[in-house]
Amino acid sequence: MAYQAKNYSHLIGMEGFSKQLLENHFTLYQGYVTNTNKLADILSQMLKDGKTATPEYAELKRRFGWEFNGMRLHEYYFENLGGKDALAKGTGLIGAIEKQFGSYANWETDFKAVGSMRGIGWTLLYLDGANGTRSNDWINDHDMRHLAGCTPIVVLDVFEHAFMIDYGLKRADYIAAFMKNINWKEASARYDKAHK
Ligand SMILES: [Fe+2]
């Protein structure tokens, strides 16, 4: 079944993110959805045609990880934006963050530090489903270095397209704007679903 691009236009008007920046970002995301579907179709046709033992199949299969994760990570990112309230006391997620990092402030310091690392990629608060550990981590590009078995709880895009239109090289200011707009209800729901 083909993937459908989701509509995130409700985020337009969010403080610290211009309409132009968001619309560009939505267009870029839609490209990942289109290419994910295109690659899935081509790969399935190659299977039908008996062309799987070919370098073309291998390279397109590798490419699929780039396009698919480009699609999915943007969905995590847009869906954990648009929040107005701080992470509520008493939620499982705040308890987990405090247990792992000592305090919310310590977690935020570490999350921002990972987001400020030089290079392009993604910053994530992960929950390790195997032992319950929470960690802030980094994904190069879209498809490299995912931690197996970990669920993304908060996802921050630090590719330059995510901020340069509004912030130029001031990535820290963009990250500060992101922190103000985290949809903690969504992040908490991800945590509760993964932490069973
Ligand atoms: Fe992006």
Side-chain angles (χ1 to χ4, degrees):
M1 205 168 78
Y3 292 99
Q4 301 291 329
K6 298 182 183 181
N7 183 347
Y8 297 113
S9 58
H10 65 279
L11 294 177
I12 291 172
M14 188 167 58
E15 192 186 337
F17 290 74
S18 70
K19 187 168 186 266
Q20 188 195 6
L21 176 79
L22 286 170
E23 285 181 341
N24 274 320
H25 212 165
F26 298 153
T27 301
L28 192 134
Y29 154 67
Q30 287 153 9
Y32 285 111
V33 179
T34 301
N35 281 4
T36 298
N37 287 327
K38 195 179 287 180
L39 279 175
D41 288 347
I42 295 169
L43 287 163
S44 124
Q45 190 60 48
M46 290 180 89
L47 175 61
K48 284 183 197 145
D49 295 344
K51 292 180 179 166
T52 51
T54 60
E56 290 84 355
Y57 184 85
E59 286 309 304
L60 290 175
K61 185 59 94 174
R62 287 197 174 94
R63 181 76 193 178
F64 186 81
W66 164 266
E67 301 290 353
F68 180 92
N69 284 353
M71 169 181 74
R72 185 56 46 80
L73 285 166
H74 278 105
E75 290 171 350
Y76 277 119
Y77 170 74
F78 291 131
E79 285 162 24
N80 65 209
L81 276 170
K84 304 229 184 309
D85 302 321
L87 176 53
K89 297 284 171 205
T91 54
L93 181 54
I94 189 104
I97 285 174
E98 287 171 350
K99 191 171 171 198
Q100 185 81 37
F101 294 92
S103 67
Y104 177 88
N106 279 348
W107 168 77
E108 187 173 294
T109 299
D110 188 60
F111 188 82
K112 285 178 170 175
V114 178
S116 304
M117 286 169 18
R118 290 174 67 79
I120 52 167
W122 298 86
T123 298
L124 296 92
L125 167 63
Y126 269 132
L127 171 69
D128 178 359
N131 75 351
T133 299
R134 282 73 60 190
S135 64
N136 293 319
D137 223 288
W138 174 266
I139 295 174
N140 288 323
D141 296 332
H142 306 314
D143 55 342
M144 304 287 285
R145 210 190 158 280
H146 283 262
L147 299 185
C150 293
T151 302
I153 306 296
V154 177
V155 174
L156 164 64
D157 188 343
V158 286
F159 277 76
E160 285 152 352
H161 65 249
F163 62 90
M164 283 199 88
I165 290 173
D166 288 354
Y167 293 98
L169 291 173
K170 293 180 180 165
R171 194 197 289 200
D173 291 351
Y174 157 68
I175 294 175
F178 173 86
M179 301 307 294
K180 281 186 198 154
N181 288 288
I182 293 178
N183 181 343
W184 284 112
K185 283 200 181 85
E186 170 66 21
S188 284
R190 288 177 192 165
Y191 177 81
D192 291 342
K193 193 172 166 196
H195 184 74
K196 290 247 170 95

